[in-house]
Amino acid sequence: MTKFKSNSTGEFVIISRTGNDCLVQFVETGTIKKAHISNVVTGKVKDQYYPTVYGVGYYGDFEKVTYWKQAKQLWQNMIKRCYCEKDTKGYYEKVTVCKRWLCFANFLRDLPKLDNFENWLRGQNSNSVKYNLDKDFIVMGNKIYAPEVCCFITESENKSAGAKNGKPFTRNKNGHEVTNHV
């Protein structure tokens, strides 16, 4: 079987072909999807289950609801805080994301079930109170982002809770601790 290389998400093989329509399977994840032969030979076939976001997150198959772009940014920032050690301002050592939420499609489906989701959605409007996704408001000291323990709280509550829970600082671009005044 001939292996082809995606421009961004690993190797794949054609498992069937009818005219210009192919069914391909990605070697690393096992994902199967339809593709046009021209996209196959040019490597323009993407595996939505390949971890392209900080080496752990992947998009999956999701419906583009009205807030999907804001949710995507929220999800990417969450993944970054947990897995990008180069992020001197926001990296959380020893904090992880549950396996379910490493997939954006699952995260997007779970968001409306979180407390204060509607407030977060309204807060996307520049004239409204901003809400942040929080992992340790429900369970103090929690180290895992997961649907059972996350909720949305106001930005001011989040900053205040961070200072009270021993996070009265962030790191500047040089990696030095800077005191937060809440």
Side-chain angles (χ1 to χ4, degrees):
M1 224 178 244
T2 303
K3 286 187 181 176
F4 295 86
K5 177 97 171 106
S6 167
N7 295 335
S8 59
T9 58
E11 294 182 330
F12 61 93
V13 295
I14 297 174
I15 55 178
S16 71
R17 180 176 174 184
T18 306
N20 289 325
D21 296 324
C22 301
L23 200 56
V24 302
Q25 183 171 26
F26 285 87
V27 175
E28 188 171 325
T29 65
T31 303
I32 297 173
K33 73 182 295 181
K34 292 179 184 177
H36 190 274
I37 190 65
S38 64
N39 291 331
V40 168
V41 297
T42 58
K44 293 181 181 176
V45 183
K46 279 188 167 185
D47 182 355
Q48 292 299 103
Y49 292 87
Y50 186 86
T52 58
V53 181
Y54 298 103
V56 296
Y58 55 96
Y59 292 99
D61 294 314
F62 61 92
E63 181 183 335
K64 291 185 177 180
V65 295
T66 57
Y67 55 87
W68 79 271
K69 288 182 181 178
Q70 295 92 334
K72 180 180 163 190
Q73 186 66 48
L74 179 68
W75 176 77
Q76 288 173 328
N77 288 339
M78 174 184 67
I79 300 288
K80 182 179 183 182
R81 281 193 300 277
C82 297
Y83 300 100
C84 182
E85 292 181 33
K86 293 177 184 177
D87 179 14
T88 57
K89 188 175 180 184
Y91 175 67
Y92 293 168
E93 192 172 1
K94 298 181 184 174
V95 175
T96 60
V97 175
C98 72
K99 186 175 181 178
R100 177 172 174 76
W101 275 10
L102 291 176
C103 176
F104 174 67
N106 292 336
F107 179 79
L108 188 62
R109 277 191 284 279
D110 291 343
L111 268 187
K113 301 171 193 167
L114 300 181
D115 287 345
N116 290 317
F117 166 75
E118 292 296 328
N119 292 331
W120 171 77
L121 206 51
R122 270 193 299 282
Q124 299 305 301
N125 176 335
S126 61
N127 299 328
S128 299
V129 174
K130 301 291 183 210
Y131 277 74
N132 300 149
L133 180 65
D134 192 272
K135 65 174 173 28
D136 52 9
F137 187 79
I138 295 172
V139 178
M140 182 134 359
N142 176 51
K143 300 284 188 194
I144 302 173
Y145 281 94
E148 303 80 26
V149 292
C150 285
C151 65
F152 289 100
I153 62 175
T154 65
E155 254 183 21
S156 60
E157 286 175 314
N158 198 17
K159 288 178 182 177
S160 176
K164 288 177 187 173
N165 293 333
K167 294 182 276 184
F169 62 87
T170 55
R171 296 187 187 279
N172 65 17
K173 64 184 179 181
N174 298 321
H176 299 100
E177 294 178 2
V178 177
T179 302
N180 290 332
H181 298 284
V182 183

